[in-house]
Amino acid sequence: MYSWRITKYNPAKRNESGHYTDLDEWTCFSEAGKKLTMDEYLDIEKRYIDAIMIVMDEMNIDNLFIESLELYPEEITVQDAREFISKLWVGKKINKLEIQGIARLTLRNAVWCKLRLRNRFFVHFGYDYYMFIGVSDSCTKALEKIKSIGLYVEDYDSPYL
């Protein structure tokens, strides 16, 4: 399995222990409107969601399954997503539109999830805008596209396996 950490964080700003050293970097949706504009936030959010779709497209995958799901009711309400979330559960097969929706809610701290398609594909979300994608094929074209949209791709095993 190939596995990567995909983030907005430039690896050149990591110390020898791998810790990110730019302490002024925003790390949470709640900082939109404070440390960055909402438009800037939405641009980054779109890149993360696009990265998932880019890899799925190269792998010719249209659906994933919800492997894990945690709900944060107050944030779900703030995001006006109760109806959407009410149709999701662990084990449910979801399409690309639903994947985009659940990824968006995860990035906005309304839910936490792990998505998977057997041993072919997974996407895991970590704290502070760390996203982990694993696939059964190398997906070199997808990785180049992800880099071209301004995200960083590092070989990395997901800590959520």
Side-chain angles (χ1 to χ4, degrees):
M1 196 82 169
Y2 299 88
S3 183
W4 307 284
R5 175 170 63 188
I6 299 174
T7 69
K8 64 188 187 74
Y9 304 112
N10 184 342
K13 294 184 179 183
R14 294 189 187 284
N15 65 21
E16 60 280 348
S17 301
H19 299 110
Y20 198 71
T21 59
D22 185 352
L23 300 179
D24 290 329
E25 184 73 49
W26 65 272
T27 59
C28 185
F29 173 67
S30 65
E31 295 175 90
K34 298 171 187 160
K35 279 193 165 183
L36 72 162
T37 68
M38 185 55 79
D39 285 344
E40 290 169 324
Y41 170 80
L42 292 171
D43 176 58
I44 294 293
E45 178 183 87
K46 183 180 181 319
R47 292 180 203 186
Y48 275 72
I49 294 168
D50 286 350
I52 297 166
M53 296 297 112
I54 288 167
V55 178
M56 287 180 67
D57 287 346
E58 184 163 330
M59 293 286 297
N60 199 28
I61 294 172
D62 293 321
N63 299 284
L64 298 175
F65 291 85
I66 300 174
E67 183 177 42
S68 297
L69 181 63
E70 295 177 12
L71 308 177
Y72 306 107
E74 288 180 28
E75 294 303 319
I76 290 168
T77 300
V78 168
Q79 294 299 318
D80 194 25
R82 280 187 283 171
E83 183 178 342
F84 173 73
I85 288 298
S86 72
K87 298 173 185 168
L88 303 178
W89 57 86
V90 171
K92 182 173 189 216
K93 181 179 181 179
I94 57 175
N95 63 38
K96 285 184 174 181
L97 188 59
E98 292 167 315
I99 292 162
Q100 292 172 28
I102 200 168
R104 184 171 294 105
L105 291 173
T106 302
L107 293 168
R108 294 181 184 188
N109 299 320
V111 304
W112 178 82
C113 70
K114 295 188 330 185
L115 307 174
R116 175 177 291 280
L117 180 61
R118 296 180 298 281
N119 293 326
R120 291 190 61 211
F121 181 96
F122 71 76
V123 59
H124 299 158
F125 297 90
Y127 296 102
D128 299 340
Y129 285 77
Y130 283 89
M131 183 171 70
F132 305 90
I133 292 181
V135 294
S136 58
D137 296 326
S138 62
C139 292
T140 51
K141 289 179 185 175
L143 298 180
E144 289 306 314
K145 285 182 187 175
I146 292 168
K147 292 174 188 175
S148 76
I149 64 171
L151 293 178
Y152 297 94
V153 178
E154 303 168 88
D155 289 338
Y156 203 91
D157 291 329
S158 172
Y160 300 98
L161 288 173

